[in-house]
Amino acid sequence: MNCIGKRLEHFIAMALSLCLMAATAACSSTPAPEKSTATGTAARGSVAIFTPADGVTFSEHTPLNKWTKLTPEVQNALTATEGFQKDSISTTTSDTLDTQSRAVQDYVVGHVTSQSSSSSSASTTFKPSQETIIIAPVATKDNAIRQYGDFVDQQVTWNESTTDSSTSSSSPSASASDSSSPSPIQSRATGDDNVEAVTQRAAGERLVAALRLAKSSGMHVIVVSNPIQGFTPELFVKMATAREIGIVQAKQLVSKLALNSTSSENPKHIEVMIPVSREADDDTDTDSAGNLFAREAFAGIWSVLGKYYRDGRATSPSNTLTASSTDSSWSNVVFDARKASSAQTALASRLGKTADGQDVPVAINGILAMNDFVASGVTTELKKLGYTGSSSDINPQISISGIVGNITGKQDIQKEKAPDPKRAPRQSSEDDSNSSATAGEKTSTAWPIITGYGSYIDNIPSIVDGMQWMTAIEDRKSLATDIAHATALLNADKGIKSLPSIAQDTIEGTKVLTLSREQLIVSASNLKSILLDKDYITPAEAGL
């Protein structure tokens, strides 16, 4: 035993000597810089990501604006670019705001408690200032709003006056005194509507209380897409609004139809189609979520196209929009989109007859279809009605025959369209005897320009072959990189104001740092550089 004891003492002495030598060497050498890789030794802190579950219910139509795409891209940017450890990043998806608020509450309370506990392990617990919560709140979207994808800006609100004696005790103590006015759809106070309103309020106030606790304890909070009533984050990531989606498509029509050089004597014929999801009893509920979205979308459209209708350079074959139309005319262009065939039915009723009632398609130059789900139905119905050609026939900025060459990296053939005459061609006497339609209402089966939004994968071939002119998506990959970089800066107690994609905006009367990227407008001419080169889709998904 004595021999063994001496050997043990000798071993301990050698170990201590080695440790002392290592410590001395470390002190005398220059410290290594922090590595910005996933294998770096520097602790970047932790990140908790909370997003809604996949909200798109159309299995055969898949938009690129999806939480299931953005979340892994943020995770990858955090680890590969910003040096976060994989096990320091957690993700949670929730179907409802109620479920999500409970998950956030459990996370925040758990972390605050662990910080105050003396038994916490220093090797596994970060300081609150090294923790960031990234949350995309679950917003109530109807079926028509879901057609735009997951990223559409929808404010999360509730009615603060909603009460229920059986559930009021479950509401958090935090108030939302600085909140905006609640949505009228959440103000109903009878039956199932009241139960839903009570649940929404309890969930909203629980979420706000948890996020405020997180901020007060030193954590950082980034809110994505949907503003939360009564809560101001350190950073808000802005996604497309209904108004912006309408504006993007309206501007495309102005450009591609050359409306600025068009005359009222030879106008362009444009139809605006905005989908809504109307239940049997809500036709008059103009304050429902779907109708509010439609109103905002039309306000954006009309801010661009209104002047052309007013001076006669644009007309509506169905007469749903006229020179006397205003922002309140939004209800004239909406259609019930609960069924996949709804867009086809709506378009057939608008274009299936001439002005004097003949069962012949009328001339149409452009259709603003709002999203790719609607655009798909529009292209299907146009073929049934006998329209032929492609979008490039109206304004052939590109050569459809050269699109595949462009996608494979070859030079595309560019060509310009001869300008339209200021006056429409006069009808012959024979034409006049067969139809009372004016020259501007002459029948035509020429294919119109069709706009959309969402970049549905199954619609990309329609853009390649010229059936649909354009679509648009969020700059998802750039946003993921920006979110990860902002998170790293926040966890390092560094400022984010200087980042080029961040500006200051006002939300609910409060100034908030806002991160945003311009929408990516996709057409056949840039499909390769935007969607293929950036790995949004594969050539096979583009129909190649």
Side-chain angles (χ1 to χ4, degrees):
M1 291 293 293
N2 191 31
C3 182
I4 295 175
K6 288 183 179 180
R7 289 179 179 177
L8 182 59
E9 287 180 4
H10 181 66
F11 175 78
I12 293 174
M14 289 180 63
L16 288 173
S17 298
L18 289 172
C19 290
L20 183 59
M21 291 172 62
T24 303
C27 292
S28 61
S29 62
T30 303
E34 281 189 348
K35 297 180 180 180
S36 185
T37 64
T39 58
T41 58
R44 304 299 190 193
S46 67
V47 184
I49 304 174
F50 297 87
T51 59
D54 188 358
V56 180
T57 58
F58 311 104
S59 59
E60 71 276 20
H61 300 293
T62 305
L64 295 180
N65 291 343
K66 292 169 66 69
W67 297 121
T68 53
K69 296 287 187 179
L70 178 65
T71 300
E73 287 168 348
V74 172
Q75 289 177 278
N76 182 66
L78 286 168
T79 55
T81 305
E82 302 299 337
F84 283 81
Q85 299 293 327
K86 288 184 178 180
D87 59 4
S88 69
I89 304 170
S90 64
T91 61
T92 304
T93 60
S94 307
D95 291 320
T96 66
L97 185 66
D98 181 64
T99 303
Q100 186 181 60
S101 66
R102 295 177 190 277
V104 173
Q105 178 180 262
D106 290 345
Y107 176 86
V108 173
V109 171
H111 278 243
V112 171
T113 302
S114 67
Q115 289 294 333
S116 61
S117 173
S118 59
S119 63
S120 297
S121 172
S123 62
T124 59
T125 302
F126 295 102
K127 295 185 298 182
S129 61
Q130 290 182 293
E131 296 184 291
T132 294
I133 294 174
I134 301 172
I135 178 170
V138 178
T140 303
K141 295 186 177 77
D142 67 7
N143 287 334
I145 298 177
R146 289 191 183 99
Q147 294 173 8
Y148 298 88
D150 290 345
F151 300 160
V152 177
D153 184 338
Q154 289 279 280
Q155 186 177 20
V156 176
T157 63
W158 55 91
N159 189 339
E160 291 182 344
S161 63
T162 301
T163 58
D164 185 284
S165 58
S166 64
T167 59
S168 59
S169 61
S170 64
S171 299
S173 59
S175 65
S177 58
D178 56 340
S179 64
S180 62
S181 300
S183 171
I185 193 175
Q186 296 162 344
S187 301
R188 299 165 181 163
T190 59
D192 293 338
D193 292 329
N194 189 53
V195 172
E196 182 179 347
V198 169
T199 302
Q200 179 78 0
R201 177 184 177 182
E205 292 183 342
R206 183 187 303 114
L207 180 61
V208 168
L211 293 178
R212 285 178 174 173
L213 175 61
K215 286 185 65 176
S216 66
S217 69
M219 297 182 195
H220 310 285
V221 179
I222 297 175
V223 173
V224 182
S225 184
N226 303 322
I228 307 170
Q229 174 178 317
F231 179 74
T232 303
E234 285 177 79
L235 178 64
F236 175 66
V237 181
K238 182 181 179 183
M239 301 293 195
T241 64
R243 181 182 290 264
E244 290 169 345
I245 292 173
I247 288 174
V248 163
Q249 295 180 58
K251 285 183 175 180
Q252 283 290 302
L253 287 178
V254 170
S255 172
K256 304 311 173 187
L257 294 179
L259 290 183
N260 288 323
S261 60
T262 298
S263 74
S264 59
E265 296 178 331
N266 190 21
K268 298 297 185 182
H269 312 298
I270 302 172
E271 284 294 318
V272 174
M273 302 182 67
I274 302 179
V276 293
S277 181
R278 286 180 168 167
E279 302 299 334
D281 61 348
D282 75 349
D283 287 349
T284 59
D285 184 9
T286 58
D287 288 321
S288 67
N291 285 337
L292 287 172
F293 190 94
R295 276 166 47 183
E296 279 296 298
F298 183 74
I301 294 167
W302 198 244
S303 70
V304 177
L305 295 183
K307 64 181 181 180
Y308 300 102
Y309 280 94
R310 285 190 292 270
D311 65 18
R313 286 179 287 174
T315 65
S316 167
S318 64
N319 212 37
T320 51
L321 294 174
T322 66
S324 59
S325 295
T326 65
D327 280 353
S328 61
S329 301
W330 66 274
S331 58
N332 295 340
V333 297
V334 300
F335 67 97
D336 188 348
R338 283 178 292 171
K339 296 181 180 179
S341 60
S342 296
Q344 295 175 236
T345 302
L347 185 65
S349 67
R350 296 193 192 188
L351 302 183
K353 295 181 183 297
T354 59
D356 64 343
Q358 292 190 65
D359 193 14
V360 180
V362 299
I364 179 70
N365 302 112
I367 299 176
L368 196 154
M370 282 307 296
N371 61 60
D372 286 4
F373 187 72
V374 175
S376 178
V378 165
T379 56
T380 298
E381 188 60 30
L382 285 173
K383 293 175 183 178
K384 289 183 179 180
L385 292 173
Y387 290 88
T388 59
S390 71
S391 296
S392 68
D393 296 332
I394 286 184
N395 190 340
Q397 180 182 345
I398 61 170
S399 168
I400 296 301
S401 63
I403 290 175
V404 174
N406 170 265
I407 290 174
T408 56
K410 298 178 181 178
Q411 181 69 33
D412 191 17
I413 301 172
Q414 300 290 329
K415 59 181 180 178
E416 297 294 333
K417 180 194 176 217
D420 286 341
K422 291 294 184 181
R423 294 178 181 272
R426 293 181 59 85
Q427 289 180 288
S428 65
S429 58
E430 181 180 352
D431 291 334
D432 292 335
S433 65
N434 293 331
S435 172
S436 60
T438 65
E441 295 170 333
K442 285 204 321 177
T443 61
S444 172
T445 58
W447 197 266
I449 282 180
I450 302 168
T451 67
Y453 181 85
S455 293
Y456 280 43
I457 294 176
D458 61 314
N459 269 43
I460 300 303
S462 291
I463 291 183
V464 172
D465 63 22
M467 296 294 98
Q468 181 177 333
W469 179 262
M470 59 77 63
T471 185
I473 57 169
E474 290 286 351
D475 191 353
R476 198 185 70 216
K477 292 180 181 292
S478 294
L479 283 172
T481 300
D482 292 341
I483 292 171
H485 188 46
T487 300
L489 291 175
L490 289 173
N491 277 17
D493 285 329
K494 296 180 180 179
I496 60 175
K497 291 183 180 180
S498 60
L499 295 180
S501 55
I502 290 181
Q504 196 170 65
D505 202 354
T506 300
I507 301 176
E508 294 190 39
T510 303
K511 291 183 178 181
V512 182
L513 290 179
T514 302
L515 188 159
S516 64
R517 289 274 183 166
E518 289 188 4
Q519 300 286 302
L520 297 177
I521 299 174
V522 181
S523 64
S525 61
N526 64 9
L527 186 147
K528 177 182 183 295
S529 61
I530 291 182
L531 297 186
L532 293 176
D533 290 351
K534 295 181 179 179
D535 295 324
Y536 279 104
I537 63 171
T538 65
E541 289 172 331
L544 302 174

